[in-house]
Amino acid sequence: MARNAVYDQLVNAPREQTALATFHLLDALQAFHWSRGLQINAAVLLCALLCDHLKVDLQDAMTAAKNLLRTHEDKLATEFEAIRWYLREEVK
């Protein structure tokens, strides 16, 4: 796996700022509430296209994101728990 500056930023991303950016993306995707499949495809395709553009392996990005999502105790990080609650209450 070739490492670059973007990869280093990916694996060292601050959890709080990443959660905030995630919430902003979720907010934008809600405009397409009539199609959950479209929302998922848009989010995944954005990730794939960004990885391709920035020369980061998609699987590495997914692994980094999964690691950021969980604490060392393998619990959902508080910052992302708030997003999960928002999804439960607002995204039907």
Side-chain angles (χ1 to χ4, degrees), residues 1 8 10 13 15 19 25 30 36 43 45 50 52-53 56 58 62 67-68 73 76-77 79 83 86 88-89:
M1 153 182 38
D8 290 338
L10 178 67
R15 189 175 273 146
L25 291 171
Q30 281 190 274
R36 299 305 181 204
L45 286 168
L50 272 172
D52 185 57
H53 175 69
V56 172
L58 181 59
M62 293 303 290
N67 289 339
L68 193 61
E73 297 82 30
L76 185 65
E79 297 85 353
I83 293 171
Y86 183 84
R88 284 182 190 148
E89 298 300 319

Side-chain angles (χ1 to χ4, degrees), residues 24-54:
H24 284 292
L25 291 171
L26 175 59
D27 186 51
L29 286 172
Q30 281 190 274
F32 301 93
H33 60 87
W34 44 269
S35 177
R36 299 305 181 204
L38 187 147
Q39 290 174 318
I40 292 168
N41 273 328
V44 173
L45 286 168
L46 176 59
C47 179
L49 290 167
L50 272 172
C51 286
D52 185 57
H53 175 69
L54 298 172

Side-chain angles (χ1 to χ4, degrees), residues 13-27 65 68-69 76-84 86:
R15 189 175 273 146
E16 190 173 302
Q17 289 176 337
T18 303
L20 180 60
T22 303
F23 186 78
H24 284 292
L25 291 171
L26 175 59
D27 186 51
L68 193 61
L69 193 61
L76 185 65
T78 303
E79 297 85 353
F80 296 105
E81 183 64 38
I83 293 171
R84 179 170 280 169
Y86 183 84

